Amino acid sequence: RPALHTALRFQGKPQTEHEEAVAECREQMRRFTESVHSGSWRGFTGEPIRHIVNIGIGGSDLGPRMVVEALRPWHCEGLSTHFVANIDGADLSDTLAGLPAANTLFIVASKSFSTLETRQNALSARQWMLDAGCGEKQLAQHFAAVSSNIVAAQDFGIAAENIFPMWNWVGGRYSLWSAIGLPIALACGYETYAQLLAGAHDMDRHFASAPLSENLPVLMALIHFWYRQCWGTGSQVVLPYAQRLAKFPAWLQQLDMESLGKSVSREGHPVDYPTGSVIWGTEGSNGQHSFHQLLHQGTDLIPADFIAIKEPTSPLVEQHRWLLACCLSQSQALLRGKTLHEARQELEQQGHTHREVHALAPHKVVPGNRPSNTLIVERLDPRHLGALLALYEHKVFVGGCLLGINPFDQWGVELGKLLGARVHEAIGQVAPEDWDDSTRSLLGKLFDEA
């Protein structure tokens, strides 16, 4: 199938059939958002909506959740946005605890409208509304959907005019630019969402036109390829020094690992070289007090991406200066390290004895010469955030080209879904004889012995 997610953020007049469909969807999103913000959309008691609960998983959750958190200063007053993804009932129950059903609107985000986790959570949310006194015919006042399965969404009780389209040319991990981004528009306003799209389009144009020597996605992909193939690195850490980008590594994990975690070439042949890396990380400076020790003195070489926001994201300007100082000092420490001679001098200056210096100095040696990139973002606003996300999308695409694999499929994910349904059917039953002993034993311990 085609991968045309960049068409989701086109600017100007639509030029293609796909862009025309996108323009219609944007208008539908704008009208819907304005109806909620103006108070004209009412719940079953006639009260306006005050809470949005997005029910999705994977690409239908990670992107919108991350962006809504990143753009907190743009949140619309009087409206709160929540996200539910996990099939663990605690996720939904904890989210709904304390929410008034009369003021709550659910968005069910699932292309097929059959994704296990999303469907189960949506059914439970539906029952929650009914238990709160909402009639069957009034459910449409509390549910919207983003899906390509119009019939299933309507059978659930969602009005046709409140079902937003999904197309097979948009992969889940590239879908926040589509109607999957509806929670972003609701949380921050449609114009804010439009600025996010414009920023991504800025990066699309840069990627399409910049010379290779100045092309950011190409350079980042080549650096990653160099360390993965020639230095044998198995993971890359991503360190956004911005609290509001705390969910960025999780979004990037799906984008990168689901795209490049392949062992077969585009032509269907097994590959004999490493492909995708483990992507991980957290927001700075919290990571400095948990796992940075491994980066500085561990035995594995782990390239790092630092992301620094130039302008303060809060009125606490001095704390922002300390935040940037932490970011730069960490990249400097990875670069410079500390020699044995420097460690000895430091201990001697602190007044330690010769015996203590001899014993302690080797433990204070930091190898240095460890690679990192530092990306400086002018400010954390919708347009710059859109460009940052598109930068990593294009980097992953270039990585797929360099590796000779298809970054737009994810067949490994499908196997787990298939087996999950079979395991669920076997609960409380006698497991098939041809199943592996491990799964049979685990089923027995979890259910038969209960």
Side-chain angles (χ1 to χ4, degrees), residues 124-204:
S124 295
R126 186 180 191 276
Q127 188 60 50
W128 180 76
M129 287 299 308
L130 294 173
D131 292 344
C134 179
E136 290 268 0
K137 294 182 178 179
Q138 297 168 308
L139 283 172
Q141 296 168 243
H142 292 272
F143 283 89
V146 183
S147 181
S148 61
N149 193 339
I150 308 299
V151 173
Q154 286 181 305
D155 288 345
F156 183 89
I158 300 174
E161 63 269 22
N162 298 324
I163 302 173
F164 296 81
M166 281 288 288
W167 304 282
N168 66 356
W169 42 270
V170 181
R173 53 193 177 276
Y174 300 92
S175 64
L176 73 87
W177 319 102
S178 70
I180 290 295
L182 183 60
I184 304 171
L186 287 166
C188 305
Y190 184 79
E191 291 307 316
T192 298
Y193 182 63
Q195 283 298 303
L196 185 81
L197 299 177
H201 183 69
D202 291 342
M203 185 56 66
D204 293 342

Side-chain angles (χ1 to χ4, degrees), residues 228-229 262-265 269-275 403-405:
R228 184 76 174 107
Q229 304 300 322
K262 313 292 170 57
S263 56
V264 176
S265 71
H269 306 304
V271 300
D272 57 0
Y273 47 83
T275 55
L403 294 168
I405 60 177

